[in-house]
Amino acid sequence: LPNESLALWGGVTEAIHAKQFSRATTIKQELEEAQREKARERERKGESWQPVFFVTATDKAGKPALTEKGREVLKRAQVGDWSIDGILEEGTEVTEGTKVAEVAE
């Protein structure tokens, strides 16, 4: 998934592993600014950001509140199936914050 957290932040991780900390900082700043720009664009259009797999980041107990799609991904993940085939409708954009691995308890 192009907007999955590991894909988005992979360049930062690689730079840190290579001890290229200035490069990691630059990549991180560029990524964060791109995310801010997307948020500004949504605000200009009057759109709200809707996570695909979560209703809220966490409930009062610190546990994520999952959407129906999030519960289906969790159910599959618990048996070692990391596929999201058939869960997302055609044309659904997976946005920042929808990291499949986050649904594991």
Side-chain angles (χ1 to χ4, degrees), residues 47-101:
E47 299 172 352
S48 63
W49 180 69
Q50 293 289 317
V52 175
F53 301 119
F54 300 95
V55 176
T56 58
T58 58
D59 62 15
K60 291 180 182 180
K63 195 172 179 184
L66 301 173
T67 64
E68 184 60 38
K69 292 176 183 180
R71 286 189 292 277
E72 179 61 28
V73 170
L74 176 60
K75 180 179 164 185
R76 291 181 186 187
Q78 289 173 329
V79 295
D81 178 1
W82 298 101
S83 164
I84 59 171
D85 294 341
I87 294 176
L88 299 178
E89 292 91 26
E90 191 86 16
T92 300
E93 179 184 354
V94 178
T95 57
E96 298 92 1
T98 54
K99 179 178 173 183
V100 175

Side-chain angles (χ1 to χ4, degrees), residues 3-65:
N3 291 322
E4 194 270 334
S5 294
L6 291 175
L8 286 172
W9 291 89
V12 175
T13 303
E14 289 172 16
I16 290 169
H17 285 280
K19 299 186 185 320
Q20 297 175 343
F21 302 113
S22 293
R23 182 171 161 255
T25 298
T26 300
I27 295 168
K28 175 185 172 286
Q29 290 170 335
E30 290 170 354
L31 175 60
E32 290 173 334
E33 185 53 38
Q35 291 173 330
R36 286 186 202 99
E37 182 54 38
K38 284 183 179 182
R40 286 189 290 267
E41 183 63 26
R42 282 191 303 272
E43 188 174 329
R44 278 192 291 274
K45 293 179 176 180
E47 299 172 352
S48 63
W49 180 69
Q50 293 289 317
V52 175
F53 301 119
F54 300 95
V55 176
T56 58
T58 58
D59 62 15
K60 291 180 182 180
K63 195 172 179 184

